[in-house]
Amino acid sequence: MTLVDRLGRPLGSLRISVTDRCNLRCTYCMPEKEYVWLPRASLLSFEEIVALARVFAGLGVEKVRLTGGEPLQRAELPVLVEMLAGVAGIRELALTTNGVLLADRAADLHAAGLGRLTVSLDTLKADRFRALAGRDALPQVLAGIEAARSVGFVGIKIDTVVLRGDNDDEIGDLVAFGREMKAEVRFIEYMDVGGATRWSEEKVTSRAAILAAIAARFGEVKPLGGRGSAPAERWELADGTTFGIIASTTEPFCGACDRGRITADGMWLQCLYARAGLDLRGPLRDGKSGDELAALLTTAWRGRADRGAEERLHAANREVLIPVSALKKDPHLEMHTRGG
Ligand code: SAM
Ligand code: SF4
Ligand code: SF4
């Protein structure tokens, strides 16, 4: 019997953060000067991650995405990919990366069985990349995308967070770049998640504004439909180029959300906006069996009623969600700890 939560949503996908560390400092995710990191001893080993993935797969999870922080900063990541690729029930194994280290790792990741790749890229301008990501690394990211294509990744996705006044003038250029790279660009609305301490409503470029910018440059855009539980709505231009929009801020899609997230230290969060999660590292290290862990997860998912982004939409005086002082006390509240 399918495991569903209180709103009838199945448990279908899992994002696994393999590290909370990152080699970039994107203004919308890690704008502070200093961060409190998860203690190294608390990070799950590859064996522990795979043990949890098996339990989740047994409860219906078919899609797993590795994320972070920057997942390519985790040593030996291709080894983990190979281990997860062998877990029965996982149909789709994906990775989201900022691409900085991708050129060197693409071949090993592909050989290890990674099926899908998403590279985050917010600008095609080097000076702007530095301003938005805190480091001069655009050439490395572009080389990473090229390398990924050349080792055989197909259907690469490029994720772009659109910030009004910072990169919203590049929407059309990014669509054209995606067409050239045979990669689908997905524009993400700026979200007021934990860690986005510079967020303001004025900085959000809405789905409607993104669509208008694309239509002004390329002409008619046709909705593709068939979204299911996926966060992105997809569209097509007259020449067949496709793109997506993830409108988490202005038109959230919690009603179909089948995602959970595990932090690098084993906390399971049932929503990107959740204030607290369920510790899985403790039970795992206490030697709980797969069945016992499955029972824990089942009870928790049955009780799930989260619809964080929809609740934010109706919040009065929408401002920064979590102040820096609270983030410093509990790094689990940070987007870079939860994975996007
Ligand atoms: N470091 C990797 C990367 O950037 O691709 C993986 C982790 S990152 C947290 C995952 C995704 O979250 C990225 O595509 C990033 O752009 C997105 N993200 C981070 N903060 C965001 C925010 N405030 N609003 C919308 N998307 C955000
Ligand atoms: Fe940027 Fe991803 Fe690092 Fe956040 S985790 S600062 S989005 S590269
Ligand atoms: Fe799912 Fe929470 Fe995001 Fe809504 S806000 S789509 S419930 S993770």
Side-chain angles (χ1 to χ4, degrees), residues 5-309:
D5 71 7
R6 274 163 57 195
L7 304 180
R9 300 169 296 186
L11 172 60
S13 77
L14 184 66
R15 300 188 179 199
I16 304 175
S17 170
V18 293
T19 178
D20 57 332
R21 316 253 166 167
C22 188
N23 46 6
L24 294 183
R25 288 290 179 275
C26 302
T27 56
Y28 48 78
C29 179
M30 299 186 75
E32 307 305 322
K33 287 216 161 49
E34 285 179 19
Y35 283 94
V36 177
W37 305 110
L38 301 176
R40 292 220 181 243
S42 73
L43 299 195
L44 298 184
S45 66
F46 287 175
E47 287 71 21
E48 289 171 329
I49 291 173
V50 172
L52 288 180
R54 273 204 193 95
V55 178
F56 276 96
L59 294 175
V61 164
E62 294 187 327
K63 297 182 187 176
V64 169
R65 177 172 295 274
L66 298 174
T67 178
E70 174 44 41
L72 297 189
Q73 286 204 287
R74 178 88 185 233
E76 307 294 341
L77 192 71
V79 174
L80 176 64
V81 168
E82 194 168 354
M83 290 163 78
L84 288 170
V87 172
I90 296 179
R91 269 194 310 115
E92 203 179 290
L93 185 56
L95 171 81
T96 300
T97 172
N98 63 29
V100 175
L101 300 171
L102 185 58
D104 279 352
R105 315 277 155 89
D108 286 349
L109 290 166
H110 191 259
L114 183 69
R116 288 172 182 255
L117 185 64
T118 301
V119 182
S120 299
L121 176 65
D122 302 323
T123 176
L124 298 167
K125 299 181 180 183
D127 54 338
R128 204 174 257 191
F129 189 100
R130 188 185 171 75
L132 280 172
R135 213 186 122 187
D136 253 329
L138 180 62
Q140 287 96 307
V141 179
L142 298 179
I145 295 171
E146 282 292 357
R149 293 180 65 200
S150 71
V151 302
F153 280 105
V154 286
I156 297 173
K157 297 205 172 71
I158 294 177
D159 276 9
T160 302
V161 181
V162 189
L163 307 184
R164 181 170 303 285
D166 290 348
N167 66 343
D168 54 336
D169 58 344
E170 284 191 77
I171 291 171
D173 290 347
L174 282 156
V175 170
F177 174 76
R179 175 164 61 192
E180 197 185 317
M181 292 291 125
K182 296 194 170 30
E184 184 168 295
V185 181
R186 297 161 353 143
F187 297 99
I188 307 176
E189 289 181 350
Y190 188 9
M191 298 171 70
D192 55 347
V193 284
T197 52
R198 307 278 188 274
W199 190 88
S200 70
E201 223 154 359
E202 297 74 60
K203 273 279 179 198
V204 177
T205 305
S206 68
R207 166 186 181 274
I210 293 166
L211 277 175
I214 294 173
R217 165 120 168 224
F218 298 101
E220 196 196 347
V221 294
K222 202 173 78 193
L224 282 173
R227 178 185 192 179
S229 61
E233 280 172 281
R234 297 178 66 236
W235 310 77
E236 190 177 31
L237 303 180
D239 70 358
T241 304
T242 59
F243 67 93
I245 300 181
I246 301 180
S248 324
T249 303
T250 67
E251 296 184 43
F253 36 82
C254 302
C257 176
D258 68 351
R259 287 174 292 284
R261 297 175 159 76
I262 303 183
T263 60
D265 65 345
M267 180 179 280
W268 183 39
L269 296 154
Q270 298 184 335
C271 176
L272 199 45
Y273 284 86
R275 292 296 176 129
L278 179 68
D279 171 46
L280 300 178
R281 183 181 79 250
L284 197 59
R285 292 191 179 168
D286 285 347
K288 294 274 184 259
S289 68
D291 284 349
E292 287 170 314
L293 289 166
L296 262 179
L297 299 182
T298 300
T299 306
W301 191 262
R302 284 199 177 128
R304 177 187 190 242
D306 300 72
R307 357 181 325 272

